[in-house]
Amino acid sequence: MASVSKKPQSLDANALIPNVACNPIQQVLLYINQNLHAPLTLEDIATFSGWSRWQLQRMFKRETGDSVASYVRDLRLNEAALRLIHTTDRVLDITIMLGFGSEVSFSRGFKKKFGVSPRTFRKQNQLHAGNRCGAST
């Protein structure tokens, strides 16, 4: 069974990317990506950014067109899709690893994004991958 990752790294935003003039939202995006497997809260991200939660939400939405929560959820669902195709990890283990509250909420979000359940997605994509990788006609 997959283990739950530790708390997000506490890093200085300016230490992530050498160019201090970099877009602060780009540094927030990098922080989110680096801590995707950790329990990641809006408060954690706001603390990292140096903004209030409200200011972070406003800046993030303006720069990306998405809310912080939606962005993180989509990133986690995309990671889950890759894991379903390229690993034999159980759906429950992927659910826990990526910080979803329950397998039901994960499956509901996954189906909303990809149009099929995680198990169906795995079957369809492993079948297609097998056809590409050596099946001859």
Side-chain angles (χ1 to χ4, degrees), residues 8-9 11-14 16-17 22-36 40-53 55-57 59-61 63-64 66-69 71-72 75:
Q9 300 172 14
L11 298 173
D12 174 19
N14 295 331
L16 285 178
I17 301 174
C22 213
N23 179 339
I25 291 297
Q26 291 297 322
Q27 293 195 7
V28 168
L29 294 173
L30 182 59
Y31 176 79
I32 291 169
N33 277 282
Q34 289 178 336
N35 291 285
L36 194 60
L40 196 57
T41 66
L42 183 59
E43 188 66 40
D44 293 329
I45 300 167
T47 298
F48 167 79
S49 72
W51 292 322
S52 68
R53 290 181 311 196
Q55 189 178 19
L56 170 64
Q57 289 278 45
M59 297 293 288
F60 197 91
K61 179 81 168 178
E63 293 292 320
T64 68
D66 212 352
S67 71
V68 174
Y71 178 82
V72 170
L75 213 53

